[in-house]
Amino acid sequence: MSTTFPIILNLAAFIAILLLLFWMQKKYFSFAKRVFSALGLGVLFGLVLHFLYSTTSHEGAVILKHTIEYTDIIGTGYVKLLKMIIMPLIMVSLISAIIKLKGADSIGKISAISIGTLVGTTVIAALVGIVVAHLFGLNAEGMTAGAAEIARGEALLHTNQSMGEFSLPKMIIAFIPENPFQDIAGLRSTSTIAVVIFSIFIGISAMGIAKKKPELFASFEHFMQVAQAIVMRLVTIVLRLTPYGVAALMAKMVAISEFAEIAKLISFVAASYVALIIMFVIHLIIVTATGLSPVQFVKKIIPVLIFAFTSRSSAASIPFNIRTQTQGLGISDGVANFSASFGATIGQNGCGGIYPAMLAFMIAPTMGVDPWSLGFILPLLIIIAISSFGVAGVGGGATFAALIVLSAMDYPVALAGLLIAIEPLIDMGRTALNVSGSITAGTVTARVLGEMDTTVFNSNEQVQLDSDSSTNELN
């Protein structure tokens, strides 16, 4: 039987899903409802594809492969468009925010509190990972590898060798922008932080001419206002594609998942999500400690967490993150831009904290090390705190973090290769927690510095991430 007709039928069904989502947009369904609907429809469509084709003949595998190739145009295309707007958004938003700040002292305070909160919560997340791994009795000794896992393990060993010796000085040097155009193009894993640093220098330089050459500063300030208006309009256009991207991303993830392999590692999946949930509750406790309602906080950040969950990219979540903080939580532009930008590569609670800590705990007994000894826990926490700087904010960042931590502990890195089948599944939850940690850092910073409008936070207005303002009707 020809594979063309089934592929056409599959694509027709997917187009019907997209048309339904478009109809919901035209009928002014809220952004959250459309995203939730896209999530459910994508999972359902992916399950149908999985059970119809993934366990059948070679012909079925071909049908599934080509169907996903076409639907992935929407999913991957959407994520690429989001990544396209990240660097321009960071630059114009940060420079504009710095111009509005009182001085360099404010920049230092925002950076110190944001980064301190991000790194501090990552250390707490590592402790949570250790405790949960112990409660679930996770151990590396009983894990076996298939062909794909062995290949992944060998690839990780090669990557680890090519990374060279891990050191804090090297990582700090990597943050410094040598060629800002290279970093604006995102050609390095630390490009986001480098662009943040470059933007800070531009903003400080602009503030330096404010008194000496006020007419030039006024022109630059007007230019930044125009640039920010154009970039934010671009952000709005791209964010309106979110439901369609979410549907495609979820369909792909479910359709190609190896459920049999996932079942073998279900204990690790369960332990990972228990740790993620516990850490999310800790975020809420931190927010409560600042005098804010955790229930209101959850209501406002749910849409951005859904996107982070489906996209598996902290970096791609930056536009959502900033809008959620400013329009939903009432956080100032400066704090929101700093915490969202730093949070995409620094102190990621899920990828940089929980995951490498769990792997190290599992491997320690095989190395003859007591995982409850201070000789194990203290070095691990220090290494995780240091390595949490510069974790890539895209899918696979957790593997990068694990390589750094395990190699610094002188532990074998091949264990990460054994988890290849469940990586997408747990990476979704890890990314959502990363973004939650970033928003928590922004909230703490704003409360400490008095940079939050609690009227906005306590309002019942739901931020519309795909509109020009939080109060605009969708169109």
Side-chain angles (χ1 to χ4, degrees):
M1 182 182 72
S2 172
T3 60
T4 303
F5 184 66
I7 292 173
I8 292 175
L9 285 181
N10 295 337
L11 295 179
F14 182 69
I15 291 173
I17 291 174
L18 299 182
L19 290 175
L20 175 59
L21 294 173
F22 181 73
W23 175 82
M24 293 177 69
Q25 178 179 334
K26 288 300 181 183
K27 292 297 181 179
Y28 303 108
F29 280 76
S30 70
F31 179 79
K33 288 181 180 178
R34 287 187 282 125
V35 171
F36 271 117
S37 298
L39 182 67
L41 291 169
V43 170
L44 181 61
F45 183 67
L47 285 172
V48 171
L49 292 180
H50 180 86
F51 288 111
L52 281 180
Y53 304 112
S54 67
T55 58
T56 58
S57 62
H58 172 70
E59 188 176 71
V62 172
I63 294 173
L64 178 62
K65 176 178 179 292
H66 288 298
T67 299
I68 294 300
E69 282 179 350
Y70 282 104
T71 61
D72 198 40
I73 293 174
I74 303 296
T76 299
Y78 170 65
V79 172
K80 285 190 172 186
L81 287 176
L82 277 171
K83 291 179 178 179
M84 172 191 73
I85 63 178
I86 288 172
M87 296 307 184
L89 176 63
I90 289 174
M91 287 195 67
V92 300
S93 299
L94 275 180
I95 294 172
S96 299
I98 291 170
I99 289 174
K100 297 174 184 175
L101 293 175
K102 296 178 181 179
D105 184 52
S106 297
I107 300 173
K109 289 179 180 178
I110 292 173
S111 301
I113 298 173
S114 296
I115 294 174
T117 304
L118 288 167
V119 176
T121 52
T122 300
V123 172
I124 295 172
L127 287 171
V128 170
I130 290 172
V131 172
V132 172
H134 171 70
L135 293 177
F136 276 77
L138 299 182
N139 195 298
E141 291 178 342
M143 300 184 70
T144 57
E149 287 77 11
I150 292 174
R152 175 65 180 275
E154 292 176 349
L156 291 179
L157 287 171
H158 176 72
T159 301
N160 189 50
Q161 293 170 356
S162 64
M163 284 170 56
E165 184 182 354
F166 164 78
S167 68
L168 180 59
K170 288 183 177 180
M171 184 167 289
I172 293 175
I173 291 173
F175 291 158
I176 301 173
E178 177 183 8
N179 183 346
F181 297 102
Q182 179 187 37
D183 290 315
I184 290 171
L187 299 180
R188 301 190 300 144
S189 61
T190 55
S191 285
T192 302
I193 294 297
V195 169
V196 169
I197 294 173
F198 177 68
S199 301
I200 290 173
F201 272 106
I202 294 293
I204 293 175
S205 299
M207 290 168 60
I209 66 169
K211 293 182 179 180
K212 297 179 179 179
K213 299 180 179 179
E215 68 286 351
L216 290 180
F217 177 78
S219 298
F220 180 75
E221 187 176 25
H222 177 69
F223 167 75
M224 290 309 305
Q225 290 174 351
V226 173
Q228 187 173 29
I230 293 174
V231 170
M232 293 311 296
R233 181 58 185 171
L234 175 61
V235 169
T236 298
I237 293 172
V238 175
L239 294 191
R240 285 180 176 171
L241 302 174
T242 299
Y244 314 104
V246 167
L249 291 168
M250 289 305 300
K252 177 183 178 181
M253 194 278 294
V254 174
I256 65 177
S257 292
E258 296 291 342
F259 293 158
E261 296 299 322
I262 291 174
K264 295 178 183 178
L265 298 168
I266 194 65
S267 60
F268 188 87
V269 175
S272 296
Y273 273 91
V274 167
L276 293 170
I277 292 170
I278 291 173
M279 194 59 211
F280 181 68
V281 172
I282 291 175
H283 288 169
L284 298 184
I285 293 173
I286 294 172
V287 169
T288 304
T290 67
L292 300 172
S293 167
V295 175
Q296 187 74 354
F297 181 78
V298 172
K299 287 180 181 178
K300 293 296 182 76
I301 70 171
I302 278 294
V304 67
L305 296 189
I306 292 173
F307 171 75
F309 184 85
T310 53
S311 69
R312 297 171 53 203
S313 174
S314 300
S317 301
I318 288 177
F320 283 95
N321 192 331
I322 293 173
R323 283 203 171 189
T324 297
Q325 291 192 53
T326 55
Q327 297 180 6
L329 303 180
I331 296 172
S332 68
D333 289 341
V335 172
N337 279 281
F338 272 84
S339 62
S341 302
F342 285 136
T345 51
I346 292 178
Q348 297 190 353
N349 292 183
C351 294
I354 290 175
Y355 185 64
M358 291 179 72
L359 292 188
F361 181 89
M362 293 167 64
I363 295 173
T366 68
M367 304 293 290
V369 176
D370 178 7
W372 286 108
S373 66
L374 289 178
F376 167 78
I377 294 178
L378 288 181
L380 176 63
L381 295 182
I382 292 172
I383 291 170
I384 283 177
I386 295 173
S387 66
S388 67
F389 288 80
V391 176
V394 296
T399 301
F400 179 73
L403 287 177
I404 294 176
V405 172
L406 294 180
S407 61
M409 296 284 290
D410 201 23
Y411 286 0
V413 300
L415 174 65
L418 300 181
L419 305 173
I420 182 175
I422 59 172
E423 263 299 295
L425 185 61
I426 58 177
D427 197 41
M428 297 167 78
R430 290 189 307 233
T431 306
L433 184 69
N434 295 341
V435 174
S436 173
S438 172
I439 297 175
T440 300
T443 303
V444 170
T445 305
R447 291 294 280 174
V448 171
L449 298 179
E451 296 281 344
M452 172 180 280
D453 184 347
T454 53
T455 303
V456 175
F457 179 90
N458 293 318
S459 71
N460 292 322
E461 291 281 351
Q462 285 296 317
V463 57
Q464 303 295 352
L465 298 177
D466 61 345
S467 67
D468 291 321
S469 72
S470 59
T471 56
N472 284 354
E473 291 292 332
L474 300 182
N475 51 57

